[in-house]
Amino acid sequence: MEKRIPLFIANWKMNKTSKDILSFVGVFKELVKGMTHSCEIVLAPAAVYLAELISVTQNTLIKVAAQNCGGSKSGAFTGEVSPLMLRDLQVAWVILGHSERRHIFKEDDSLVNLKLKAALEEDLTPVFCVGEKLEERKAKNTFAVIERQLEGLKSFSESQLRSLVIAYEPVWAIGTGENASPEQAQEVHSFIRKWLSNNISPTFANRTRILYGGSVKADNSTALMVMVDVDGLLVGGASLDPLSFSEIVRQGLNS
Ligand code: PGA
């Protein structure tokens, strides 16, 4: 079985200005120095700070992601940042379909898929987020929702999708302090891997990383990462502090 390198992503959302980012990186890069050879660590700041973060993480193994991108190279899309622009800034990663984009900004599956297509055309590594709302879980629709969100992947070839990362983020666990139990996460991750195996290929399913996100903290990181199909963590609130995020990585690698 191909080894999946553990991946830890900090999603800073609409937090941190330039000064905060500089002080975070100053502390964080020392804390994770010994860990970056055994995992990948990615920081996702607000779009206006991407260039600055790229510059202050140069000469480290820390990578940088955008939190969103537009669905085409250029054009009349006020307020959007295109994948071509991200590529131009040397940003190699982009989070797509985050639940806040889907639910607050009303991005539907077809828009998320359009963004995915545009990101793949620029050779960005997409972190494609899926996850059910609380009422969908209660109605036992979790798998149906995830399946619907994954459906768009069928329109790409395996080689187009080669860098894809999937993040399972149950909406009810995001920013609520209530994380999915490791068993709940594993159940959905294994469903996603099976879906990838049936709809893309078994090899692809075997090497694609599936991250868990939703109220991840240092004290649940090991238990989540122990699960066979949890290959990494996408962290919001607890990634804002360098000590807390580095501890999540350290504990996650201890699994
Ligand atoms: P949280 O956010 O860790 O604050 O729950 C996770 C996310 O939204 O990616």
Side-chain angles (χ1 to χ4, degrees):
M1 190 167 99
E2 199 169 330
K3 191 168 154 29
R4 299 187 292 265
I5 298 167
L7 170 60
F8 300 90
I9 305 182
N11 175 11
W12 287 341
K13 310 191 179 184
M14 201 172 69
N15 295 294
K16 291 196 188 295
T17 56
S18 180
K19 186 164 114 303
D20 307 323
I21 291 175
L22 283 182
S23 79
F24 181 104
V25 172
V27 176
F28 185 71
K29 68 179 182 201
E30 295 307 318
L31 290 170
V32 295
K33 227 178 209 160
M35 308 181 217
T36 39
H37 57 272
S38 41
C39 66
E40 278 189 295
I41 299 178
V42 183
L43 305 177
V48 287
Y49 299 115
L50 285 165
E52 184 173 355
L53 188 58
I54 288 275
S55 138
V56 298
T57 52
Q58 244 168 30
N59 306 320
T60 74
L61 293 172
I62 298 167
K63 294 164 185 170
V64 174
Q67 298 174 11
N68 181 29
C69 71
S72 48
K73 273 189 204 305
S74 62
F77 300 101
T78 302
E80 286 292 80
V81 172
S82 80
L84 177 68
M85 294 165 183
L86 295 179
R87 188 34 79 201
D88 190 38
L89 290 182
Q90 289 163 28
V91 173
W93 297 66
V94 63
I95 299 172
L96 291 175
H98 186 277
S99 81
E100 285 146 21
R101 301 297 321 170
R102 289 180 188 268
H103 302 300
I104 303 174
F105 298 101
K106 310 292 176 216
E107 292 189 8
D108 60 11
D109 292 323
S110 70
L111 180 56
V112 176
N113 291 333
L114 192 70
K115 291 179 172 201
L116 176 62
K117 180 167 184 288
L120 290 171
E121 278 167 5
E122 293 307 325
D123 246 334
L124 299 177
T125 295
V127 180
F128 187 83
C129 304
V130 297
E132 81 288 4
K133 294 192 267 190
L134 185 58
E135 58 269 29
E136 293 166 334
R137 173 162 283 262
K138 282 188 173 155
K140 304 209 181 314
N141 284 335
T142 299
F143 295 146
V145 170
I146 304 289
E147 199 161 15
R148 193 202 71 223
Q149 291 169 332
L150 292 172
E151 191 66 25
L153 298 182
K154 287 186 187 168
S155 57
F156 301 100
S157 68
E158 183 172 340
S159 81
Q160 282 175 301
L161 291 174
R162 68 194 170 280
S163 67
L164 185 81
V165 170
I166 294 183
Y168 168 56
E169 297 207 306
V171 181
W172 48 272
I174 297 179
T176 58
E178 189 190 340
N179 66 294
S181 69
E183 294 72 23
Q184 283 173 319
Q186 170 57 29
E187 188 185 27
V188 178
H189 282 226
S190 133
F191 173 83
I192 294 172
R193 205 174 302 287
K194 210 165 288 155
W195 188 95
L196 294 174
S197 177
N198 293 339
N199 292 282
I200 314 284
S201 84
T203 332
F204 180 80
N206 190 27
R207 75 174 147 75
T208 298
R209 288 176 291 182
I210 306 175
L211 315 184
Y212 169 78
S215 297
V216 171
K217 295 181 268 347
D219 64 11
N220 56 30
S221 157
T222 310
L224 286 159
M225 288 293 289
V226 154
M227 297 290 129
V228 285
D229 289 304
V230 177
D231 307 311
L233 302 167
L234 175 52
V235 189
S239 74
L240 293 170
D241 174 69
L243 284 168
S244 141
F245 188 48
S246 66
E247 199 49 27
I248 287 172
V249 176
R250 204 177 63 77
Q251 303 270 356
L253 291 176
N254 269 345
S255 61

Short mmCIF file of all heavy atoms in Angstrom, two decimals, residues 159-181:
data_model
loop_
_atom_site.label_atom_id
_atom_site.label_comp_id
_atom_site.label_asym_id
_atom_site.label_seq_id
_atom_site.Cartn_x
_atom_site.Cartn_y
_atom_site.Cartn_z
N SER A 159 -5.89 11.33 -13.89
CA SER A 159 -4.65 12.11 -13.92
C SER A 159 -4.92 13.59 -13.64
O SER A 159 -4.10 14.25 -13.00
CB SER A 159 -3.88 11.87 -15.21
OG SER A 159 -4.41 12.65 -16.23
N GLN A 160 -6.07 14.10 -14.04
CA GLN A 160 -6.39 15.49 -13.67
C GLN A 160 -6.50 15.64 -12.14
O GLN A 160 -6.15 16.66 -11.59
CB GLN A 160 -7.74 15.91 -14.28
CG GLN A 160 -7.69 16.27 -15.76
CD GLN A 160 -9.10 16.55 -16.28
OE1 GLN A 160 -10.00 15.72 -16.22
NE2 GLN A 160 -9.29 17.76 -16.78
N LEU A 161 -7.01 14.59 -11.50
CA LEU A 161 -7.27 14.67 -10.06
C LEU A 161 -6.06 14.27 -9.21
O LEU A 161 -6.17 14.22 -7.98
CB LEU A 161 -8.44 13.75 -9.69
CG LEU A 161 -9.82 14.14 -10.19
CD1 LEU A 161 -10.83 13.03 -9.87
CD2 LEU A 161 -10.29 15.45 -9.58
N ARG A 162 -4.92 14.02 -9.88
CA ARG A 162 -3.84 13.35 -9.14
C ARG A 162 -3.44 14.01 -7.82
O ARG A 162 -3.08 13.35 -6.87
CB ARG A 162 -2.62 13.10 -10.03
CG ARG A 162 -1.90 14.37 -10.45
CD ARG A 162 -0.92 14.12 -11.58
NE ARG A 162 -0.44 15.38 -12.09
CZ ARG A 162 -1.11 16.16 -12.94
NH1 ARG A 162 -2.28 15.76 -13.41
NH2 ARG A 162 -0.62 17.32 -13.32
N SER A 163 -3.53 15.36 -7.72
CA SER A 163 -3.08 16.01 -6.47
C SER A 163 -4.22 16.20 -5.46
O SER A 163 -4.00 16.72 -4.37
CB SER A 163 -2.47 17.37 -6.80
OG SER A 163 -3.50 18.23 -7.30
N LEU A 164 -5.42 15.78 -5.82
CA LEU A 164 -6.60 16.05 -4.97
C LEU A 164 -6.44 15.59 -3.52
O LEU A 164 -5.95 14.50 -3.25
CB LEU A 164 -7.83 15.36 -5.58
CG LEU A 164 -9.15 15.64 -4.88
CD1 LEU A 164 -9.72 16.97 -5.32
CD2 LEU A 164 -10.17 14.52 -5.17
N VAL A 165 -6.89 16.46 -2.63
CA VAL A 165 -7.02 16.10 -1.22
C VAL A 165 -8.49 16.31 -0.87
O VAL A 165 -9.11 17.27 -1.35
CB VAL A 165 -6.15 17.04 -0.33
CG1 VAL A 165 -6.45 16.84 1.16
CG2 VAL A 165 -4.66 16.83 -0.63
N ILE A 166 -9.05 15.40 -0.08
CA ILE A 166 -10.45 15.58 0.34
C ILE A 166 -10.47 15.89 1.84
O ILE A 166 -9.67 15.32 2.60
CB ILE A 166 -11.27 14.32 0.01
CG1 ILE A 166 -11.35 14.19 -1.53
CG2 ILE A 166 -12.68 14.39 0.61
CD1 ILE A 166 -12.15 13.06 -2.03
N ALA A 167 -11.34 16.80 2.24
CA ALA A 167 -11.49 17.06 3.68
C ALA A 167 -12.94 16.80 4.06
O ALA A 167 -13.86 17.38 3.47
CB ALA A 167 -11.12 18.50 4.00
N TYR A 168 -13.11 15.90 5.04
CA TYR A 168 -14.45 15.67 5.57
C TYR A 168 -14.64 16.58 6.78
O TYR A 168 -13.92 16.46 7.79
CB TYR A 168 -14.62 14.20 5.99
CG TYR A 168 -15.89 13.99 6.80
CD1 TYR A 168 -17.13 14.38 6.28
CD2 TYR A 168 -15.85 13.44 8.08
CE1 TYR A 168 -18.30 14.24 7.03
CE2 TYR A 168 -17.02 13.28 8.83
CZ TYR A 168 -18.23 13.68 8.29
OH TYR A 168 -19.37 13.55 9.04
N GLU A 169 -15.57 17.50 6.64
CA GLU A 169 -15.84 18.44 7.73
C GLU A 169 -17.34 18.49 8.01
O GLU A 169 -18.08 19.22 7.35
CB GLU A 169 -15.36 19.84 7.35
CG GLU A 169 -13.87 19.93 7.12
CD GLU A 169 -13.36 21.34 7.40
OE1 GLU A 169 -13.89 22.29 6.83
OE2 GLU A 169 -12.47 21.47 8.24
N PRO A 170 -17.79 17.69 8.99
CA PRO A 170 -19.22 17.74 9.33
C PRO A 170 -19.56 19.15 9.79
O PRO A 170 -18.87 19.69 10.66
CB PRO A 170 -19.36 16.73 10.47
CG PRO A 170 -17.98 16.40 10.93
CD PRO A 170 -17.02 16.78 9.86
N VAL A 171 -20.58 19.74 9.19
CA VAL A 171 -20.89 21.15 9.46
C VAL A 171 -21.17 21.38 10.95
O VAL A 171 -20.78 22.39 11.52
CB VAL A 171 -22.09 21.61 8.59
CG1 VAL A 171 -22.41 23.07 8.83
CG2 VAL A 171 -21.80 21.38 7.11
N TRP A 172 -21.81 20.39 11.57
CA TRP A 172 -22.17 20.51 12.98
C TRP A 172 -20.95 20.49 13.92
O TRP A 172 -21.07 20.80 15.10
CB TRP A 172 -23.15 19.40 13.39
CG TRP A 172 -22.73 18.03 12.93
CD1 TRP A 172 -23.02 17.45 11.72
CD2 TRP A 172 -21.94 17.07 13.64
NE1 TRP A 172 -22.45 16.20 11.65
CE2 TRP A 172 -21.79 15.95 12.82
CE3 TRP A 172 -21.34 17.06 14.92
CZ2 TRP A 172 -21.06 14.81 13.20
CZ3 TRP A 172 -20.62 15.93 15.30
CH2 TRP A 172 -20.49 14.83 14.45
N ALA A 173 -19.79 20.16 13.38
CA ALA A 173 -18.59 20.09 14.22
C ALA A 173 -17.67 21.29 14.02
O ALA A 173 -16.68 21.43 14.72
CB ALA A 173 -17.83 18.80 13.92
N ILE A 174 -18.02 22.16 13.07
CA ILE A 174 -17.10 23.26 12.76
C ILE A 174 -17.34 24.44 13.68
O ILE A 174 -18.43 25.00 13.72
CB ILE A 174 -17.24 23.69 11.28
CG1 ILE A 174 -16.83 22.53 10.38
CG2 ILE A 174 -16.39 24.92 10.99
CD1 ILE A 174 -16.95 22.82 8.91
N GLY A 175 -16.31 24.78 14.45
CA GLY A 175 -16.37 25.95 15.33
C GLY A 175 -17.34 25.78 16.48
O GLY A 175 -17.67 26.74 17.16
N THR A 176 -17.79 24.56 16.73
CA THR A 176 -18.80 24.35 17.77
C THR A 176 -18.21 23.75 19.04
O THR A 176 -18.87 23.69 20.07
CB THR A 176 -19.88 23.35 17.28
OG1 THR A 176 -19.21 22.12 16.93
CG2 THR A 176 -20.63 23.88 16.08
N GLY A 177 -16.97 23.30 18.95
CA GLY A 177 -16.36 22.63 20.10
C GLY A 177 -16.77 21.16 20.16
O GLY A 177 -16.28 20.40 20.97
N GLU A 178 -17.68 20.77 19.27
CA GLU A 178 -18.15 19.38 19.28
C GLU A 178 -17.55 18.64 18.07
O GLU A 178 -18.04 18.79 16.95
CB GLU A 178 -19.68 19.36 19.18
CG GLU A 178 -20.25 17.99 19.40
CD GLU A 178 -21.75 17.93 19.07
OE1 GLU A 178 -22.39 18.99 19.06
OE2 GLU A 178 -22.23 16.82 18.82
N ASN A 179 -16.46 17.91 18.30
CA ASN A 179 -15.87 17.20 17.16
C ASN A 179 -16.58 15.88 16.92
O ASN A 179 -17.22 15.34 17.82
CB ASN A 179 -14.36 16.97 17.38
CG ASN A 179 -14.07 16.03 18.52
OD1 ASN A 179 -14.34 16.32 19.67
ND2 ASN A 179 -13.56 14.87 18.19
N ALA A 180 -16.46 15.38 15.68
CA ALA A 180 -16.97 14.03 15.42
C ALA A 180 -16.10 13.08 16.23
O ALA A 180 -14.91 13.33 16.41
CB ALA A 180 -16.88 13.72 13.94
N SER A 181 -16.66 11.99 16.71
CA SER A 181 -15.82 11.03 17.41
C SER A 181 -14.90 10.40 16.36
O SER A 181 -15.23 10.39 15.16
CB SER A 181 -16.68 9.94 18.06
OG SER A 181 -17.27 9.14 17.05
#
